[in-house]
Amino acid sequence: MSESPVLTAVQDGIGTITLNRPEARNALNQAMRPALAAAIAQMRDDASVHAVILTGAGGAFCSGGDISAMLDTSRTGLTFRKGMRELHQWFPELVDLEKPVIAAVDGPAFGAGLGLALAADFVLATRRAKFCAVFGRIGLVPDLGVMRLLPRIVGQQRAKELVFTARTVDAQEARQLGMVFDIVEDAAALTAAAQALARRFGAASTAAIGMAKTVMNQAFELDAHAMAELESYAQSLCRGSDYHQDAVRRFKDKEPLRFDWDKPA
């Protein structure tokens, strides 16, 4: 058995959360849930972290919920509801984490694992990565945000097809659908690509990215007027930041800006 169901590490401004039940393909069990919640809170509260990588150990991202726990027939509907509500206490913290989140997916991202991957801002995948809203195979509906996030990424009609059929999507199709940002060859290349992408945000304003993410995450919920108001508040805060003031000074003095994505990393 693994020593901890979720591992965390912070190095050079990059936080890494690793789902660590490789013997169960990192299935989300009862022990992993509070550990994952604590890991997300750690990355949220650590001011040194400018980007977060979410990944899985042992050649799998997350195979979904732990089906062995579903064999417990003593659990009532109210007990299940309590467990679901506990998920909903920490999952929005991941979706709305005000730092870039990169899901590094090798192997299966099934069920709840699909939800975890879709919660990221960028999904990097190996060629052997697989994605599946597998819930329908055991007579369940999608959870952990899949019914909200999937339609926003692939469109309503395609999301219904993926949910109703519960079919497996390979990395190439997932990229075509907009679920995957980029594909790499293998696990070693995945780690390198995730870290390289995370490093590129090191010179950016984490606050500006975080506020832009928070506002854009409401784009499908709010009308144009409400979005404009959020934009106004966010921009006002950014205009007063030390980062912006330094950037304006650099521009005036013809110095290179700290953050320029177009320049080679």
Side-chain angles (χ1 to χ4, degrees):
M1 292 293 292
S2 302
E3 69 280 9
S4 173
V6 176
L7 304 177
T8 62
V10 176
Q11 185 174 6
D12 299 326
I14 301 172
T16 302
I17 300 173
T18 304
L19 308 179
N20 189 41
R21 295 187 67 221
E23 71 283 352
R25 297 193 299 173
N26 303 316
L28 195 63
N29 68 352
Q30 293 297 320
M32 186 180 283
R33 296 179 181 192
L36 189 51
I40 294 166
Q42 175 189 341
M43 299 305 168
R44 178 198 65 204
D45 296 338
D46 189 337
S48 74
V49 172
H50 65 255
V52 177
I53 297 170
L54 176 62
T55 192
F61 182 72
C62 176
S63 59
D66 193 341
I67 294 181
S68 62
M70 301 177 191
L71 299 175
D72 182 3
T73 58
S74 66
R75 300 178 69 191
T76 66
L78 289 176
T79 303
F80 280 118
R81 181 174 183 266
K82 180 176 181 293
M84 290 300 304
R85 288 170 66 87
E86 289 172 353
L87 289 177
H88 297 157
Q89 289 174 9
W90 59 260
F91 184 68
E93 289 281 355
L94 176 61
V95 175
D96 295 324
L97 187 65
E98 288 199 339
K99 299 171 183 182
V101 177
I102 302 159
V105 178
D106 186 29
F110 278 29
L114 176 62
L116 287 173
L118 297 180
D121 302 299
F122 305 96
V123 178
L124 301 180
T126 63
R127 296 192 182 280
R128 63 186 294 272
K130 303 288 184 182
F131 303 83
C132 184
V134 71
F135 309 90
R137 298 185 188 181
I138 55 173
L140 295 178
V141 301
D143 57 24
L144 208 64
V146 171
M147 286 198 282
R148 180 175 183 272
L149 296 171
L150 188 60
R152 286 161 171 75
I153 294 171
V154 306
Q156 185 81 296
Q157 183 170 239
R158 182 60 69 187
K160 289 178 180 178
E161 184 262 327
L162 294 175
V163 169
F164 295 175
T165 64
R167 68 178 180 86
T168 301
V169 174
D170 64 22
Q172 188 61 42
E173 183 182 2
R175 184 177 185 181
Q176 293 170 350
L177 291 171
M179 296 163 61
V180 165
F181 179 69
D182 202 5
I183 300 172
V184 298
E185 193 63 35
D186 53 27
L190 180 67
T191 299
Q195 291 177 347
L197 180 57
R199 278 196 301 271
R200 297 200 68 182
F201 292 107
S205 167
T206 302
I209 287 178
M211 281 186 273
K213 177 175 176 176
T214 292
V215 174
M216 286 193 290
N217 278 2
Q218 299 300 315
F220 292 94
E221 316 294 339
L222 302 178
D223 61 25
H225 176 74
M227 287 292 292
E229 286 298 312
L230 289 178
E231 176 188 298
S232 299
Y233 290 131
Q235 194 70 303
S236 298
L237 291 172
C238 288
R239 283 291 296 272
S241 70
D242 292 341
Y243 189 101
H244 172 68
Q245 296 302 320
D246 178 67
V248 170
R249 181 196 61 77
R250 286 170 179 264
F251 179 82
K252 178 182 177 182
D253 295 343
K254 296 182 170 54
E255 296 179 11
L257 295 176
R258 291 166 58 189
F259 182 57
D260 188 345
W261 194 272
D262 292 334
K263 291 184 178 179

